[in-house]
């Protein structure tokens, strides 16, 4: 992972160590399985680790099918392409998300329609979805922000009523649950990222999970340039090269073997952060959706106006003490690339989260001492 903190800053180190926002944990079977790929010369997407990883990951999500691919963004695009979203269509997404959610919609030629966040969960506000739906709406894409599940009951109810699909952007929420069901397997399609800072990683990579056989079949073909079954080098649709290599899947399989352990430590770290931070005036702590089990991908806080420092001042002080943090997402309507599309639209909760939010070091391998050090440093900043 990147070791830099803020551009142009010289962080003071604790010993020789910077506490980074996130680092992958690769001390299971990762090296062994990758070595196996190399020794066997099966390094492309045709190797058996891809299937083994897909089977293990879909089982972990409680879905029948999984299609591994080159990134989380690719998984989202595959999902939309598999259900034939295209020009003239509209897809509902949260205003407060990472840009991939919107990009995937843009790639299809459809229009992403934004819904503001809800202060209670930081996820898409379900009360505001229906007013954004039109005859053109084909899908709703909730995001389980920073590992905290969206209110899936409400979203499914709205989707069923209007006969549109639900594609979960679960890129930040591996292993999270809503009413006892694993996210990704609750809507029609679920998409995950395996970027190096996600709870499960393959370096770069993604996966689509579903119980719908047709969606699985179509996205499998779309992932691989839509080669036809009837004849070699014959194509009936525009496909993509979104394949995952055997090398990546080898890492993913080893990671998935430790899935429960990663989720458990993520939650334990979050509970420790919450208990230590709760007495500090001027900080709002990360919410957990009722009836849900968040995986706290990134332990996040809001720096309120009554905290002695601004969010950016606090981040700077932490950086000076060797602690890496990140500010929150910039909402989609404020992205330079989308400014003219969403001109005049206002999403006040998303904007407030963007202004006040930051996340703290959150790796699964974080020690209790490191968490205590981060909190003590914040306390010092609070005076
Ligand atoms: C990380 C992420 C993605 C995309 O993942 P990549 O693998 O980097 O393409 C999509 N959506 C959200 C919400 C994410 O956080």
């Amino acid at each position: 992972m990147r070791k830099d903190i803020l551009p142009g800053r010289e962080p003071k180190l604790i010993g020789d160590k910077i506490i980074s926002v996130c680092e992958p944990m690769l001390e299971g079977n990762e090296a062994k399985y990758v070595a196996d790929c190399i020794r066997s010369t099966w390094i492309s997407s045709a190797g058996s680790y891809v299937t083994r990883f897909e089977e293990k990951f879909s089982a972990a999500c409680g879905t029948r099918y999984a299609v591994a691919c080159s990134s989380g963004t690719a998984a989202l695009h595959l999902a939309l392409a598999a259900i034939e979203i295209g020009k003239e269509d509209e897809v509902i997404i949260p205003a407060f998300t990472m840009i991939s959610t919107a990009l995937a919609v843009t790639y299809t030629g459809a229009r992403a329609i934004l819904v503001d966040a809800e202060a209670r969960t930081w996820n898409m506000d379900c009360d505001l979805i229906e007013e954004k739906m039109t005859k053109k709406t084909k899908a709703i894409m909730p995001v389980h922000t920073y590992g905290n599940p969206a209110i899936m009951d409400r979203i499914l109810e709205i989707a069923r009523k209007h006969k549109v699909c639900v594609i979960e952007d679960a890129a930040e929420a591996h292993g999270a649950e809503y009413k006892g069901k694993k996210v990704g397997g609750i809507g029609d399609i679920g998409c995950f990222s395996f970027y190096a800072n996600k709870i499960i990683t393959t370096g770069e990579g993604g996966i689509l999970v579903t119980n719908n056989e047709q969606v699985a079949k179509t996205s499998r073909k779309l992932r691989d340039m839509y080669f036809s079954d009837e004849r070699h080098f014959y194509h009936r649709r525009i496909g993509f090269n979104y394949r995952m290599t055997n090398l990546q899947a080898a890492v993913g399989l080893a990671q998935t073997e430790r899935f429960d352990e990663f989720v458990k430590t993520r939650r334990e770290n979050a509970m420790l952060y919450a208990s230590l931070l709760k007495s500090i005036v001027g900080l709002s702590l990360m919410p957990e959706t009722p009836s849900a089990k968040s995986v706290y991908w990134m332990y996040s806080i809001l720096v309120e106006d009554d905290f002695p420092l601004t969010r950016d001042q606090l981040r700077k002080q932490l950086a000076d003490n060797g602690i890496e943090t990140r500010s929150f997402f910039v909402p989609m309507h404020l992205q330079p690339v989308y400014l003219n599309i969403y001109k005049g639209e206002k999403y006040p909760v998303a904007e407030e989260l963007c202004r006040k939010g930051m996340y703290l070091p959150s790796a699964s391998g974080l020690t209790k001492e490191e968490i205590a050090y981060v909190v003590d440093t914040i306390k010092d900043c609070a005076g």
Side-chain angles (χ1 to χ4, degrees):
M1 287 305 301
R2 290 174 43 183
K3 290 282 183 186
D4 54 329
I5 295 197
L6 291 172
R9 299 210 58 78
E10 275 296 315
K12 220 188 291 159
L13 306 182
I14 317 123
D16 59 349
K17 199 162 179 291
I18 294 167
I19 306 182
S20 56
V21 150
C22 197
E23 274 176 3
M25 308 263 289
L26 302 168
E27 50 292 275
N29 284 321
E30 287 82 356
K32 183 174 144 205
Y33 292 169
V34 171
D36 183 35
C37 293
I38 308 260
R39 264 196 303 270
S40 69
T41 75
W42 285 95
I43 57 173
S44 79
S45 62
S48 63
Y49 278 105
V50 178
T51 317
R52 288 169 66 190
F53 174 43
E54 287 176 342
E55 284 170 4
K56 190 152 185 84
F57 195 84
S58 59
C61 294
T63 56
R64 251 180 294 188
Y65 310 101
V67 180
C69 58
S70 52
S71 72
T73 312
L76 292 166
H77 186 198
L78 280 178
L80 292 164
I83 59 169
E84 296 187 38
I85 300 279
K87 262 209 294 264
E88 309 301 323
D89 294 334
E90 292 177 353
V91 177
I92 305 265
I93 70 164
F96 185 69
T97 182
M98 192 265 200
I99 196 152
S100 296
T101 323
L103 287 180
V105 179
T106 304
Y107 296 160
T108 67
R111 187 184 166 92
I113 303 294
L114 307 182
V115 168
D116 200 3
E118 171 194 49
R120 191 168 57 114
T121 63
W122 301 353
N123 285 318
M124 186 152 70
D125 188 337
C126 296
D127 290 337
L128 305 176
I129 296 175
E130 276 191 289
E131 65 195 53
K132 290 289 187 115
M133 297 184 79
T134 71
K135 282 204 215 49
K136 293 179 174 180
T137 310
K138 292 286 152 52
I140 305 174
M141 276 181 35
V143 178
H144 307 297
T145 313
Y146 303 137
N148 184 37
I151 303 174
M152 290 306 294
D153 270 6
R154 288 285 312 282
I155 292 166
L156 285 176
E157 182 188 306
I158 295 165
R160 298 301 172 240
K161 179 172 150 199
H162 295 270
K163 298 193 168 50
V164 303
C165 281
V166 175
I167 300 171
E168 293 173 71
D169 182 344
E172 302 177 352
H174 314 63
E177 293 175 15
Y178 181 75
K179 298 204 169 161
K181 280 187 89 174
K182 288 273 170 23
V183 304
I186 303 173
D188 300 289
I189 309 176
C191 299
F192 293 85
S193 163
F194 300 123
Y195 182 63
N197 68 4
K198 302 295 162 97
I199 294 180
I200 299 268
T201 184
T202 60
E204 300 283 350
I207 208 163
L208 172 162
V209 296
T210 184
N211 285 316
N212 184 311
E213 188 182 0
Q214 196 53 49
V215 166
K217 271 191 179 154
T218 307
S219 47
R220 214 169 270 287
K221 291 177 88 168
L222 286 167
R223 163 181 77 174
D224 189 19
M225 291 167 311
Y226 217 82
F227 276 101
S228 86
D229 302 327
E230 49 203 295
R231 192 174 159 186
H232 269 304
F233 304 112
Y234 200 63
H235 306 265
R236 292 191 181 277
R237 262 191 82 174
I238 297 289
F240 318 100
N241 179 353
Y242 282 166
R243 299 183 302 252
M244 173 180 275
T245 67
N246 208 40
L247 295 162
Q248 292 168 307
V251 175
L253 180 66
Q255 289 270 293
T256 311
E257 290 169 354
R258 300 176 65 193
F259 203 159
D260 294 344
E261 176 195 335
F262 291 156
V263 167
K264 186 165 165 274
T265 52
R266 225 61 177 206
R267 283 184 59 83
E268 283 169 4
N269 289 349
M271 298 312 143
L272 182 57
Y273 262 132
S275 68
L276 297 174
L277 286 167
K278 69 168 189 275
S279 60
I280 304 179
V281 176
L283 296 182
S284 295
L285 307 186
M286 188 169 184
E288 186 172 38
T289 299
S291 310
K293 191 176 136 193
S294 171
V295 286
Y296 297 92
W297 171 54
M298 290 295 175
Y299 193 80
S300 309
I301 57 174
L302 303 182
V303 181
E304 302 292 350
D305 296 334
D306 56 349
F307 190 79
L309 303 180
T310 66
R311 190 265 318 264
D312 293 338
Q313 286 168 337
L314 176 59
R315 288 194 64 214
K316 184 173 166 302
Q317 293 254 354
L318 292 175
D320 287 343
N321 287 283
I323 299 165
E324 187 186 35
T325 62
R326 284 272 189 292
S327 51
F328 270 14
F329 302 132
V330 176
M332 294 307 102
H333 66 297
L334 302 180
Q335 295 292 342
V337 71
Y338 286 133
L339 271 185
N340 58 349
I341 298 185
Y342 302 115
K343 209 173 0 191
E345 296 183 22
K346 291 223 159 46
Y347 300 97
V349 180
E351 287 172 31
E352 189 181 330
L353 291 171
C354 169
R355 183 168 63 84
K356 295 178 177 172
M358 62 187 265
Y359 49 82
L360 303 174
S362 299
S364 302
L366 210 61
T367 64
K368 292 191 167 42
E369 292 70 34
E370 286 171 325
I371 293 174
Y373 172 74
V374 171
V375 175
D376 285 344
T377 311
I378 295 174
K379 279 186 178 152
D380 289 345
C381 294

